[in-house]
Amino acid sequence: MLGRLSWAAIPLDQPLPLYAMGAVGIVILVVLGIVTVKGWWPYLWREWITSVDHKRIGVMYVILGLVMLLRGYSDAIMMRTQQAIAVGDAQGYLPPDHYDQIFSAHGTIMIFFVAMPLVIGLMNFAVPLQLGVRDVAFPTLNSVSFWLTATGALLVNVSLVIGSFSRASWWGYPPLSELAFSPDEGVDYYLWPLQISGIGTLLTGVNFVTTILKLRAPGMLYFRMPVFCWTALAANMLIVAAFPVLTATFAMLLLDRYLGMHFFTNEAGGNQMMYANLFWAWGHPEVYILVLPAFGVFSEVAATFSGKGLFSYRSMVLATLGICILAFMVWLHHFFTMGAGADVNAVFGIMSSIIAVPTGAKVFNWLFTLFRGRILFTTPVLFLIGFMITFVLGGLTGVLLAVPPVDFVLHNSAFLVAHFHHVIIGGVVFGALAGINYWFPKAFGFTLDEWWGKASFWCWLIGFYLAFMPLYVLGLMGMTRRLQHIPDPSWRPLLLVAELGAIVVFLAILCQIVQLYVSIRTRDQRRDLTGDPWNGRTLEWSTSSPPPAYNFAVLPRVETIDAFSEVKRKGLSAVEEVYEAIEMPRNSPIGFIIAFFATFTGFALIWHIWWIVILGLLAAAVTVLVIGWSENRQHEISANEMAHIEQARLGLGRPA
């Protein structure tokens, strides 16, 4: 009846999971209680849960990423603490089995449910506004994409309470992830959530490629688009090309586990190396799926806060497209040590060095943009400067690892851990935080507190260097990755420094929470009444803060790069708006409903409860058919109604 599920799946004999489960349960109950007492459920259902507004969906993506950042960080601090105390004769507080689950969950959560939601959230919020359009190409599909991503995050966290998570790391290499070596539900808790969320991500890629290529304001040619739109286009083209590879790879591994097939078992005619090839054929483009939107954020920040147009706009665009292509030509450097041969290693080593060229060109673009500019040292600018220094250093270690003989020595060491975090934290996390601070007033109508924002930046920067620079040294000293116990006591001083760095990063997260709290408390003094608090250059700053659901009452006409800056430079005065009737999508519960059924279906697949799987799939299919055949999916706002709404919203007096 319940497949493999039994009371034994609940870790009653393990205090740490029970404490975590209790703490999370209390937080959830408190939040639900507050929402119920305040009577917020109708508002949440109407304005957020069923919303198909790209701005609301973008904000929900960012909230999901920040919440999961807390979960992923908790895994990181637990690992750091274990390594700092489990030295010599001391065994620490995490048994090997639990430690393996933690480092596997940490990587999975940080890549799929922190970095991805943060960058997709920023793209969701800003790209349609920058393009001068009213929404994405497929608004309802956008909602489905978000809720499928949230489903994957929920299922991963269920493994805290029921059962256990994978012990095969975040890449799930066979044979460790095959049934013979992982017979319990752990690997299934890894595969099914990522399959579900991966479908949502693929739909996002299709949506944004279509939006950017087909929906742009009148006059907005490709080479008039903001750089963030270009980086979003490149990232989403990579999603469309790469995520089907990951989906197929996981499908084959699931067939191995569930139906006894042997795609990746060498002794039965399969090929374990094929999994590594397929995974990293997705995995290295994934790095650029994450970092390219961050590059776009920094481009917008550099231009806005230096008061200048971006230096050599076309070279920035061409570098972005070059990275998009080269991203598919370097995947094998992730397993130089696995016997591909000297010639193959040499080709991929050369390509791994070449891809650093367009990335380096971007750094010069940002530097020359700032050069002789009237720089305002706001929080986003500090993250830009910290990013450039940190990312260049991380890139240099990447070029070093692109040399196969060097990689043979360092690949399985802590040096590689330091390099990867150098790039992801210094690039993606710093970029996401810069974007949040930059676009927050556009989303909510008031600015974030600068003092606490800058305090958070300095804690992030100092904490990062304290946490990961020692790992470079430890890697050169011979410390390998994924150690639950430290055999060499001479490594302990550097591990204690890394632990201190993790604590400082926690202070950075606390500063962000305080920043948000203080900003909300003092929002009346921080109101953005102009819609343009930063003297911005692109179209999102030409509408009010926050923008209306339809973004623009009249679509802007674009004649040059940095269209809004050009309008302000020419001193064009406001003219009488000529309103036309527009159609806007209605709210739809389909995303939430499909996610509801996907959650139960995914859980049932993990535990082999086949009758729930069948019912869940049927219910989801019926939901799609019923809502898909509905004809009441849009509503019209007449020209007269639009005039009333705009004049009331902007306080322009009596209706025309």
Side-chain angles (χ1 to χ4, degrees), residues 302-340:
T304 298
F305 292 106
S306 63
K308 297 167 55 182
L310 188 70
F311 177 83
S312 190
Y313 166 88
R314 285 180 178 261
S315 70
M316 178 68 83
V317 172
L318 293 175
T320 298
L321 297 177
I323 290 172
C324 185
I325 295 169
L326 293 172
F328 280 102
M329 301 183 184
V330 296
W331 78 84
L332 197 128
H333 71 218
H334 288 272
F335 49 98
F336 276 151
T337 59
M338 295 172 72

Side-chain angles (χ1 to χ4, degrees), residues 208-265:
F208 275 90
V209 169
T210 307
T211 300
I212 296 170
L213 294 183
K214 303 299 291 184
L215 299 181
R216 300 188 303 279
M220 182 171 282
L221 307 177
Y222 287 129
F223 278 94
R224 292 177 183 173
M225 292 196 308
V227 170
F228 184 68
C229 294
W230 274 108
T231 58
L233 175 62
N236 284 283
M237 288 193 296
L238 289 173
I239 286 174
V240 172
F243 263 82
V245 178
L246 183 69
T247 300
T249 305
F250 284 168
M252 286 186 278
L253 183 54
L254 285 165
L255 290 171
D256 279 8
R257 291 181 57 84
Y258 281 68
L259 297 180
M261 295 187 181
H262 299 289
F263 288 103
F264 305 124
T265 49

Side-chain angles (χ1 to χ4, degrees), residues 415-475:
F415 189 98
L416 187 73
V417 177
H419 158 69
F420 183 75
H421 285 81
H422 216 133
V423 174
I424 295 299
I425 293 179
V428 181
V429 176
F430 281 18
L433 296 175
I436 291 169
N437 280 271
Y438 181 60
W439 279 307
F440 189 93
K442 178 55 60 178
F444 295 102
F446 60 94
T447 58
L448 286 171
D449 184 87
E450 278 291 304
W451 193 93
W452 283 105
K454 291 174 180 178
S456 174
F457 161 75
W458 286 111
C459 288
W460 267 110
L461 189 70
I462 294 168
F464 166 78
Y465 278 95
L466 287 174
F468 292 102
M469 296 307 286
L471 298 189
Y472 283 119
V473 180
L474 288 167

Side-chain angles (χ1 to χ4, degrees), residues 115-414:
M116 286 295 290
L118 288 177
V119 298
I120 290 176
L122 293 176
M123 290 190 293
N124 249 294
F125 179 82
V127 165
L129 288 168
Q130 290 194 329
L131 292 175
V133 297
R134 294 194 170 100
D135 212 320
V136 294
F138 310 112
T140 304
L141 195 66
N142 200 19
S143 173
V144 173
S145 298
F146 166 73
W147 286 107
L148 287 178
T149 302
T151 294
L154 175 61
L155 286 173
V156 167
N157 282 289
V158 167
S159 67
L160 268 176
V161 182
I162 303 174
S164 58
F165 194 68
S166 170
R167 302 162 185 82
S169 192
W170 79 274
W171 51 76
Y173 276 168
L176 184 57
S177 57
E178 293 279 4
L179 203 59
F181 295 94
S182 296
D184 64 5
E185 70 287 343
V187 173
D188 302 320
Y189 263 120
Y190 165 80
L191 291 172
W192 286 115
L194 296 190
Q195 286 290 66
I196 293 169
S197 64
I199 293 171
T201 303
L202 179 59
L203 296 177
T204 294
V206 172
N207 207 344
F208 275 90
V209 169
T210 307
T211 300
I212 296 170
L213 294 183
K214 303 299 291 184
L215 299 181
R216 300 188 303 279
M220 182 171 282
L221 307 177
Y222 287 129
F223 278 94
R224 292 177 183 173
M225 292 196 308
V227 170
F228 184 68
C229 294
W230 274 108
T231 58
L233 175 62
N236 284 283
M237 288 193 296
L238 289 173
I239 286 174
V240 172
F243 263 82
V245 178
L246 183 69
T247 300
T249 305
F250 284 168
M252 286 186 278
L253 183 54
L254 285 165
L255 290 171
D256 279 8
R257 291 181 57 84
Y258 281 68
L259 297 180
M261 295 187 181
H262 299 289
F263 288 103
F264 305 124
T265 49
N266 289 340
E267 64 274 13
N271 188 339
Q272 183 272 331
M273 278 299 299
M274 186 54 64
Y275 181 92
N277 270 286
L278 291 171
F279 184 89
W280 290 113
W282 161 84
H284 202 82
E286 167 68 6
V287 174
Y288 293 101
I289 289 169
L290 297 176
V291 83
L292 281 174
F295 288 170
V297 170
F298 289 126
S299 299
E300 303 299 331
V301 167
T304 298
F305 292 106
S306 63
K308 297 167 55 182
L310 188 70
F311 177 83
S312 190
Y313 166 88
R314 285 180 178 261
S315 70
M316 178 68 83
V317 172
L318 293 175
T320 298
L321 297 177
I323 290 172
C324 185
I325 295 169
L326 293 172
F328 280 102
M329 301 183 184
V330 296
W331 78 84
L332 197 128
H333 71 218
H334 288 272
F335 49 98
F336 276 151
T337 59
M338 295 172 72
D343 293 340
V344 174
N345 283 356
V347 169
F348 280 88
I350 293 168
M351 295 305 300
S352 300
S353 298
I354 289 174
I355 200 172
V357 175
T359 307
K362 287 176 175 288
V363 175
F364 286 104
N365 285 111
W366 296 316
L367 287 173
F368 284 121
T369 301
L370 296 174
F371 181 64
R372 290 188 175 178
R374 296 182 178 181
I375 303 173
L376 299 176
F377 287 95
T378 59
T379 301
V381 172
L382 293 183
F383 275 111
L384 166 63
I385 296 170
F387 152 77
M388 286 193 290
I389 297 169
T390 304
F391 196 81
V392 167
L393 292 175
L396 290 174
T397 60
V399 173
L400 180 64
L401 290 168
V403 181
V406 175
D407 189 77
F408 264 75
V409 177
L410 296 174
H411 185 83
N412 199 40
S413 73

Side-chain angles (χ1 to χ4, degrees), residues 24-72:
V24 172
I26 291 171
V27 170
I28 291 173
L29 289 175
V30 169
V31 171
L32 293 178
I34 292 173
V35 171
T36 302
V37 170
K38 296 285 188 179
W40 289 343
W41 285 114
Y43 167 78
L44 290 175
W45 177 261
R46 181 181 66 254
E47 298 293 335
W48 293 93
I49 295 174
T50 63
S51 176
V52 298
D53 183 346
H54 70 93
K55 301 178 290 297
R56 296 288 174 97
I57 292 172
V59 170
M60 288 192 290
Y61 265 115
V62 171
I63 292 172
L64 173 65
L66 293 176
V67 170
M68 294 302 289
L69 175 64
L70 293 174
R71 164 70 205 278

Side-chain angles (χ1 to χ4, degrees), residues 492-513:
R492 188 172 193 182
L494 289 172
L495 288 169
L496 291 173
V497 174
E499 169 80 351
L500 175 62
I503 295 172
V504 176
V505 168
F506 179 66
L507 295 178
I509 296 173
L510 283 181
C511 286
Q512 288 177 267
I513 295 172

